[in-house]
């Protein structure tokens, strides 16, 4: 047992000053939560001073980071598992306690290689082993291959495939229980049976990289789509005579939206419109990060192609945006400072909301007794002071946490 003391805690639904959390390191759970002097004596204390304590960040759409690139390793036939673990260590430095490695339009054998490596880490590795190394892998987010060529973004067109139910079954049933989210463009022929199959198997059906009209998007939502990949980006936009896929998802309360709040993909004004129409509970902050995240400007890879990063902006040679170099801590900061949302709402978008989308809000995403002890400590400027995964401190900023 040990206690964390913090100047401010966001659960994220309640805010408390001079808060404390009692952590059971053996079980990896939160034993108790309170305010004021901690009644528990005789246990070690981590006094975080004026830090902000919040649930651990959950990134449900992230490709790579800190130089770790599972996609590139899978394409080259390299050590995918080691890249995933390295990625988890990087994620922890940015306050992330759990994440979904995200794929794209890839050859079938590459997808299976990624799924196999993630399956081994999620299903076979002891929790005590993986949590010592960084953020936990929750499963996989399949951002393809059933997407629109017209709205492909940075994804390689040669690997985009039409939606086929049998192909989806072969891909997803090779490693049951690993896939959490799958993106499908609902306007494509064969998409609706795939969407219905995903929902019937507990996988979140996600609209993304889609040129769907308003009516085509509505048909997809009626079939089971409940989530949207990086809203505004990679989808038909709004027009007053054709509201498009964007209009459909903005109007439907059944749909949650991912938001890349890096002030590159989406402007603060567009984010304000999104919040006005959807509300804070329907938005998940994501990074869509690539290997360059956390590293200097330069040249990197995505899907085996060169990406230039300049002033933190990642693009293909033709200028197409190619993921981001964002962290969730920066996304939260941007939501507060640029979009002017309350801190509690910004934190909810990075913690509880993504946990609810992937069906783990009974264990993660909030601070209360019996929940997983996945916690993030932030400085007042939202930089990460420390990260706790399953009750164990896996990252601490030098000199900041005792």
């Amino acid at each position: 047992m040990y206690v964390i003391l913090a100047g401010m805690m966001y659960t994220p639904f309640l805010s408390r000053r001079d808060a404390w959390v009692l952590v059971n390191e053996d079980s990896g759970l939160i034993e108790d939560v309170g305010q004021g002097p901690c009644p528990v004596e005789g246990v070690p204390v981590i006094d975080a001073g004026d830090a902000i304590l919040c649930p651990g960040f959950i990134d449900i759409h992230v490709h790579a980071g800190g130089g770790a690139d599972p996609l590139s390793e899978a394409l080259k036939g390299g050590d995918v598992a080691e890249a995933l673990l390295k990625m988890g260590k990087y994620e922890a430095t940015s306050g992330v306690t759990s994440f979904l490695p995200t794929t794209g339009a890839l050859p079938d054998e590459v997808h299976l290689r990624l799924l196999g490596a993630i399956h081994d880490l999620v299903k076979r590795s002891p929790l005590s082993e993986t949590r010592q190394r960084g953020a936990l892998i929750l499963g996989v987010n399949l951002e393809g291959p059933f997407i629109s060529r017209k709205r492909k973004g940075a994804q390689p067109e040669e690997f985009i495939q039409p939606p086929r139910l049998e192909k989806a079954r072969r891909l997803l049933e090779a490693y049951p229980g690993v896939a959490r989210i799958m993106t499908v463009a609902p306007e494509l022929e064969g998409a609706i049976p795939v969407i219905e199959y995903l929902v019937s198997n507990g996988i979140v059906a996600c609209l993304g990289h889609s040129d769907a009209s308003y009516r085509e998007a509505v048909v997809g939502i009626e079939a089971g789509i409940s989530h949207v990949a990086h809203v505004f980006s990679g989808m038909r936009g709004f027009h007053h005579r054709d509201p498009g896929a964007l209009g459909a998802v903005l109007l439907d309360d059944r749909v949650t939206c991912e938001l890349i709040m890096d002030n590159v993909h989406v402007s603060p004004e567009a984010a304000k419109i999104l919040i006005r129409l959807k509300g804070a509970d329907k938005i998940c902050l994501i990074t869509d990060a690539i290997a360059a995240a956390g590293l200097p400007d330069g040249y990197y890879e995505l899907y085996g192609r060169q990406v230039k990063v300049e002033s933190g902006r990642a693009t293909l040679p033709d200028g197409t945006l190619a993921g981001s170099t964002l962290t969730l801590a920066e996304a939260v900061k941007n939501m507060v400072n640029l979009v002017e949302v309350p801190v509690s709402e910004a934190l909810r978008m990075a913690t509880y909301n993504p946990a609810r989308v992937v069906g783990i809000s009974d264990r993660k995403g909030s601070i209360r007794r019996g929940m997983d002890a996945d916690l993030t400590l932030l400085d007042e400027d939202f930089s990460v002071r420390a990260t706790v995964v399953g009750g164990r401190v896996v990252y601490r900023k030098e000199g900041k946490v005792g």
Side-chain angles (χ1 to χ4, degrees):
M1 298 276 197
Y2 67 92
V3 172
I4 300 175
L5 307 178
M8 175 63 77
M9 177 176 70
Y10 293 92
T11 65
F13 300 97
L14 299 174
S15 59
R16 293 177 174 177
R17 292 195 175 276
D18 301 320
W20 55 267
V21 175
L22 180 63
V23 174
N24 186 324
E25 190 171 0
D26 288 335
S27 69
L29 302 177
I30 295 172
E31 288 285 335
D32 206 354
V33 181
Q35 186 175 18
C38 179
V40 181
E41 298 180 353
V43 297
V45 174
I46 295 177
D47 189 347
D50 59 355
I52 297 170
L53 178 63
C54 66
F57 296 150
I58 301 171
D59 197 347
I60 58 174
H61 189 142
V62 55
H63 298 283
D69 189 347
L71 294 181
S72 291
E73 291 301 321
L75 281 164
K76 296 184 296 186
D79 192 338
V80 180
E82 185 58 34
L84 287 163
L85 290 171
K86 182 180 176 182
M87 185 177 169
K89 292 182 72 173
Y90 163 74
E91 291 295 314
T93 69
S94 61
V96 172
T97 54
S98 53
F99 67 106
L100 290 179
T102 303
T103 66
L106 299 166
D108 292 351
E109 66 273 13
V110 176
H111 255 135
L112 290 171
R113 198 173 296 139
L114 277 163
L115 285 166
I118 292 168
H119 173 270
D120 288 349
L121 290 173
V122 171
K123 300 293 184 179
R124 298 180 187 175
S125 296
L127 176 64
S128 60
E129 177 184 338
T130 56
R131 72 182 180 183
Q132 288 180 7
R133 303 194 67 175
L136 289 177
I137 298 169
L138 297 171
V140 66
N141 179 342
L142 294 162
E143 194 188 8
F146 305 142
I147 62 174
S148 165
R149 284 179 164 80
K150 187 173 180 179
R151 303 285 179 177
K152 66 181 183 297
Q155 297 206 35
E157 185 170 351
E158 62 268 28
F159 301 133
I160 293 173
Q161 302 177 33
R164 293 291 181 266
L165 182 56
E166 285 307 310
K167 183 172 285 292
R169 282 177 172 158
R170 285 198 301 271
L171 185 64
L172 298 171
E173 293 176 9
Y175 298 100
V178 173
R180 296 278 192 164
I181 300 174
M182 187 171 194
T183 297
V184 180
E187 75 277 13
L188 301 177
E189 183 180 353
I192 300 305
V194 171
I195 292 166
E196 292 171 343
Y197 166 78
L198 295 175
V199 175
S200 68
N201 284 274
I203 299 167
V204 177
C206 177
L207 184 152
H209 291 282
S210 167
D211 194 45
S213 67
Y214 177 87
R215 294 192 180 281
E216 288 169 332
V218 168
V219 170
I221 293 168
E222 291 294 337
I225 283 175
S226 60
H227 190 62
V228 178
H230 42 55
V231 69
F232 299 114
S233 301
M235 61 192 305
R236 186 187 292 198
F238 180 88
H239 187 278
H240 60 283
R241 285 191 294 273
D242 176 13
L246 178 60
V249 303
L250 291 178
L251 285 176
D252 200 308
D253 289 339
R254 292 172 292 181
V255 180
T256 51
C257 296
E258 297 175 354
L259 177 63
I260 310 171
M261 196 56 240
D262 59 356
N263 206 24
V264 174
H265 285 78
V266 178
S267 73
E269 294 77 18
K272 288 179 181 180
I273 292 170
L274 179 68
I275 293 169
R276 182 76 62 90
L277 291 173
K278 297 298 291 184
D281 289 338
K282 298 293 183 180
I283 299 169
C284 297
L285 293 175
I286 63 161
T287 63
D288 198 23
I290 64 171
L295 299 176
D297 286 355
Y299 290 91
Y300 297 88
E301 277 192 9
L302 179 65
Y303 304 122
R305 293 179 295 172
Q306 188 180 79
V307 174
K308 181 181 180 181
V309 177
E310 187 173 14
S311 300
R313 181 187 180 103
T315 58
L316 297 178
D318 65 1
T320 300
L321 288 175
S324 86
T325 60
L326 184 68
T327 69
L328 277 187
E330 291 167 344
V332 168
K333 179 179 180 178
N334 288 339
M335 291 300 290
V336 174
N337 293 343
L338 301 180
V339 189
E340 300 176 314
V341 303
V343 174
S344 59
E345 291 187 3
L347 289 172
R348 198 181 315 160
M349 296 175 195
T351 57
Y352 180 78
N353 292 357
R356 186 181 58 196
V357 165
V358 295
I360 56 170
S361 59
D362 60 331
R363 299 186 290 113
K364 299 180 184 292
S366 57
I367 299 177
R368 53 190 172 89
R369 185 181 302 172
M371 298 289 282
D372 290 350
D374 292 354
L375 305 164
T376 298
L377 283 163
L378 302 169
D379 287 324
E380 291 183 354
D381 64 354
F382 298 101
S383 61
V384 178
R385 185 179 291 194
T387 307
V388 178
V389 176
R392 300 188 181 187
V393 179
V394 296
Y395 168 76
R396 66 177 73 208
K397 188 188 294 184
E398 188 69 27
K400 283 292 186 179
V401 179

